[in-house]
Amino acid sequence: MAIKPILVFPDPRLHIVAKPVGAVDARIRQLVADMLETMYEAQGIGLAATQVDEHERVVVIDVSEERNRPLVLINPEIVWASEDTQVGDEGCLSVPGIYDGVERSVAVKVRALDDSGQEREIEAEGLLSVCIQHEMDHLMGKVFVEYLSPLKRNRIRSKMLKSRREAVRA
């Protein structure tokens, strides 16, 4: 396994739409293992392949307290989303240190393949529902800050670029 570098907003590669996985093979299982290691190392609860510059429809999530119940979603699709929505603070490993309110469906039902290639349907609500929607946005080339006002988004972009410049100088 290997920890992969996480792309940071406003990196244009975060806007690439991920392609469907053709087959769940050894390469995809290795990608899943690397993504899980990367997510746990970064103290995240979700990670999309797009965030590690792999543009395939792969998501890993673990919202458990013990950090020992990983969920793997390959080629996920939302087959149902509740009409009820809720605004909650979201953060993102690709936008470190920034949290803001995003409106999401309270519950979703997702169809996806697991890391053994088996199709499954998952019903989710609460934090898991939010996390699934957030990570699936990444697969579509969308970062959560795009739900915010242009003013907030530009302030965040400036802050991220400034942090990157300061890191290069250090």
Side-chain angles (χ1 to χ4, degrees):
M1 294 194 302
I3 295 174
K4 294 181 160 284
I6 297 172
L7 299 178
V8 176
F9 180 80
D11 192 308
R13 294 171 291 179
L14 288 168
H15 300 292
I16 297 172
V17 176
K19 293 177 174 32
V21 171
V24 180
D25 55 16
R27 183 183 66 79
I28 293 298
R29 283 189 288 279
Q30 183 62 56
L31 174 60
V32 165
D34 291 347
M35 288 173 61
L36 283 167
E37 185 175 2
T38 301
M39 177 188 73
Y40 289 131
E41 176 69 22
Q43 313 269 314
I45 60 170
L47 187 68
T50 302
Q51 294 175 271
V52 293
D53 204 19
E54 299 282 347
H55 303 283
E56 295 183 272
R57 294 185 59 78
V58 178
V59 166
V60 297
I61 295 171
D62 190 342
V63 295
S64 69
E65 285 290 320
E66 304 80 22
R67 314 288 290 141
N68 64 355
R69 293 202 334 253
L71 175 63
V72 176
L73 303 173
I74 298 170
N75 294 336
E77 59 179 308
I78 294 176
V79 295
W80 174 84
S82 68
E83 290 181 20
D84 292 339
T85 61
Q86 187 172 343
V87 175
D89 267 0
E90 289 186 25
C92 181
L93 294 175
S94 291
V95 194
I98 303 294
Y99 299 87
D100 212 318
V102 176
E103 185 173 6
R104 301 275 187 192
S105 291
V106 171
V108 294
K109 183 186 289 186
V110 179
R111 182 180 304 124
L113 301 176
D114 63 17
D115 55 350
S116 64
Q118 297 299 307
E119 185 175 292
R120 42 190 305 203
E121 272 194 6
I122 296 149
E123 293 183 25
E125 56 186 26
L127 181 58
L128 180 57
S129 172
V130 169
C131 194
I132 287 170
Q133 293 171 77
H134 176 109
E135 299 309 333
M136 287 184 65
D137 276 353
H138 278 299
L139 299 180
M140 298 307 297
K142 190 169 186 176
V143 180
F144 90 96
V145 297
E146 293 172 52
Y147 288 100
L148 307 178
S149 71
L151 178 64
K152 280 187 177 181
R153 193 169 45 250
N154 286 331
R155 283 183 179 159
I156 292 167
R157 175 181 285 113
S158 296
K159 184 175 182 175
M160 294 293 112
L161 291 171
K162 182 180 177 189
S163 294
R164 186 183 306 160
R165 283 192 304 271
E166 289 171 357
V168 168
R169 282 190 215 131

